[in-house]
Amino acid sequence: MADRKSGVFQIKTENLILDQFNPRLYGETATESQDQIMTKIYQKESIDELASSLAVNGYFQEEPIIVVPENQNDFDTIDQTNIDNFKYIVIEGNRRTTSVKLLLNTANTIVDTDFPKIRDGIDLKQIPAIIYKNRDDVDTYLSVRHIAGNRKWDAFAKAKYIFEKVNKINVVTQDVSKAIEILSTQIGDKNNVVKKYYIYFKVFQQIEDDVLTYSSRHIKDRFSLLEVSLASGNTTIANYIGLPPFRKINLEDDLIKQDKVDELKNVTEWIFGTDDQGNNSLISDSRLISSVLKPILANKEAIDHLVTYKDLDGAYQLTGGEEQLVIGNINKSRKLLYNILGKVPKYKQNKEFLGAFEELLGSIDSIKKLME
């Protein structure tokens, strides 16, 4: 049973410490100052809209943050009469707390000049909070809210959090699959989200260990592309790097064998680029992963072309995909036109319709000429 103080406490904003292990910041702020953490939250989380609401409406009492005492031993001592004598780490609500702190500190150099200003009569010097004894007491709540619930973290934050929680459970179970099952049950995960993101993070770790010679920050920022690429292990990309379908995978070992590291390097560079700025990436749009890269990796000739020349379009043409693209779009256009035939007479005097119709006729003439 989680140790939690009864009721909601009004805590002075100045007594609130932003979490150095905030999953939204990838857990990379453990040695950073509070100003540095606020700067990262401001730059990464786009809090202007939230700050504007707080500046105009004040803090809604119905949305208390969740905190733990800076010193866990103080928990039993804390009550409503001495609440101001202690400091508290914000476990849930770091965006809101940062917004309030930045609004109150008008002399800060973190925000832009158009950052909102507090309206007269709005008091943000205290924030409603629920107090737990330690982080572990809040884990299930955070998991449900940010993994299975409607306040989801970004892909990397979610994967890292899941990976760490599974490993923590695994200290007891000594069985990763069992640990995944336990966490999935705790948060009501019926779609294998925990298992998928655990695997995505393990693949990411191998990319860091076996492929990268530079910072992985740009991959963390585009981590959802790993999800698109690997799905449940049943994609041509997963097959190319030797990753088995997730239902058959052995989670105790490295997921990518050493004889497939070159392929892992290829995929990493095609999708994320060749340096920490993402330069030389062949994927400018995530949709190209499914529509172009996956068909290429199902065709040996296309793979060889892509590896040799780094030419995505040329490799795709070798898959027969371009033929299907052309024929498919012609058929799609035909069906769309057929569906509106009965409505056309109503718009025969409409200038916008007539202009579009002339452009269509021009396109048809161009196709005819190309076919001569």
Side-chain angles (χ1 to χ4, degrees):
M1 192 72 175
D3 283 334
R4 167 186 164 178
K5 289 289 182 183
S6 177
V8 175
F9 291 74
Q10 299 296 324
I11 298 179
K12 288 182 178 180
T13 306
E14 64 195 61
N15 287 351
L16 293 171
I17 302 169
L18 297 171
D19 187 11
Q20 293 178 308
F21 301 100
N22 182 356
R24 288 187 185 276
L25 301 179
Y26 308 157
E28 295 175 349
T29 54
T31 61
E32 295 186 341
S33 69
Q34 290 290 287
D35 279 352
Q36 288 173 316
I37 295 172
M38 280 195 288
T39 299
K40 284 193 172 182
I41 291 176
Y42 176 70
Q43 293 175 344
K44 184 176 186 294
E45 294 296 326
S46 303
I47 61 174
D48 289 70
E49 187 174 335
L50 172 59
S52 181
S53 173
L54 289 164
V56 172
N57 302 305
Y59 195 101
F60 292 118
Q61 297 298 306
E62 296 80 8
E63 296 184 357
I65 61 175
I66 295 178
V67 303
V68 298
E70 182 182 28
N71 184 344
Q72 182 177 318
N73 294 330
D74 292 334
F75 179 79
D76 292 331
T77 306
I78 294 170
D79 60 34
Q80 294 285 4
T81 66
N82 63 13
I83 188 72
D84 295 339
N85 297 339
F86 306 94
K87 290 190 177 293
Y88 308 85
I89 299 171
V90 180
I91 305 300
E92 170 69 6
N94 281 274
R95 291 176 70 249
R96 285 169 282 163
T97 304
T98 296
S99 298
V100 171
K101 284 178 175 285
L102 291 174
L103 285 167
L104 289 171
N105 182 10
T106 55
N108 79 77
T109 58
I110 295 172
V111 301
D112 296 331
T113 54
D114 59 352
F115 194 70
K117 302 293 189 293
I118 299 175
R119 177 179 290 181
D120 290 344
I122 298 298
D123 185 1
L124 294 173
K125 293 178 181 177
Q126 292 181 320
I127 295 180
I130 296 171
I131 303 175
Y132 282 83
K133 186 172 184 177
N134 56 53
R135 290 176 181 273
D136 291 345
D137 291 332
V138 192
D139 269 353
T140 300
Y141 170 81
L142 291 180
S143 299
V144 171
R145 183 176 174 85
H146 294 296
I147 297 174
N150 60 0
R151 296 290 184 95
K152 292 181 173 62
W153 286 317
D154 66 49
F156 183 80
K158 182 160 61 174
K160 186 174 188 295
Y161 183 85
I162 285 173
F163 186 80
E164 290 175 348
K165 295 309 165 189
V166 167
N167 286 346
K168 190 172 183 178
I169 296 170
N170 190 44
V171 171
V172 177
T173 63
Q174 295 296 300
D175 181 332
V176 175
S177 294
K178 183 64 176 176
I180 287 173
E181 183 182 332
I182 290 171
L183 182 57
S184 298
T185 300
Q186 286 177 353
I187 68 173
D189 170 26
K190 297 180 180 179
N191 297 309
N192 289 322
V193 171
V194 172
K195 184 174 185 178
K196 289 177 184 177
Y197 275 82
Y198 183 86
I199 291 171
Y200 300 152
F201 195 84
K202 283 204 73 169
V203 172
F204 166 77
Q205 284 189 320
Q206 283 200 251
I207 291 173
E208 279 198 315
D209 293 342
D210 297 337
V211 173
L212 300 187
T213 57
Y214 44 84
S215 167
S216 61
R217 179 73 195 199
H218 68 301
I219 297 180
K220 295 174 183 177
D221 289 339
R222 303 181 71 201
F223 194 83
S224 60
L225 298 186
L226 270 182
E227 179 179 6
V228 175
S229 302
L230 303 179
S232 295
N234 296 308
T235 68
T236 56
I237 296 175
N239 183 63
Y240 176 70
I241 63 175
L243 187 68
F246 290 2
R247 66 181 184 278
K248 299 179 179 178
I249 209 162
N250 180 359
L251 296 172
E252 305 291 343
D253 299 330
D254 283 347
L255 302 185
I256 312 299
K257 304 305 180 187
Q258 285 303 303
D259 62 354
K260 286 289 187 178
V261 167
D262 286 344
E263 284 80 358
L264 181 63
K265 183 175 186 288
N266 288 338
V267 168
T268 301
E269 292 184 349
W270 294 335
I271 295 175
F272 297 107
T274 57
D275 61 23
D276 59 4
Q277 301 300 310
N279 291 316
N280 302 314
S281 166
L282 303 183
I283 303 298
S284 58
D285 184 321
S286 62
R287 290 171 292 187
L288 293 176
I289 293 174
S290 294
S291 64
V292 178
L293 185 57
K294 288 180 180 179
I296 288 172
L297 295 184
N299 181 291
K300 186 180 185 307
E301 186 180 8
I303 292 172
D304 291 343
H305 183 91
L306 185 59
V307 170
T308 303
Y309 299 107
K310 308 295 187 293
D311 173 18
L312 195 70
D313 291 337
Y316 183 65
Q317 290 176 21
L318 292 172
T319 68
E322 186 177 76
E323 178 182 358
Q324 295 304 313
L325 179 68
V326 172
I327 294 172
N329 281 338
I330 286 288
N331 281 326
K332 187 186 298 182
S333 300
R334 176 179 59 80
K335 291 176 183 177
L336 288 171
L337 288 171
Y338 180 80
N339 289 340
I340 64 167
L341 282 179
K343 301 178 177 64
V344 165
K346 293 193 299 183
Y347 301 99
K348 60 185 180 181
Q349 303 300 325
N350 184 291
K351 291 183 179 180
E352 185 177 353
F353 169 79
L354 292 172
F357 181 61
E358 289 299 323
E359 289 183 10
L360 175 62
L361 290 177
S363 297
I364 292 173
D365 286 341
S366 296
I367 292 173
K368 285 182 177 179
K369 290 176 182 178
L370 290 170
M371 295 175 63
E372 290 175 354

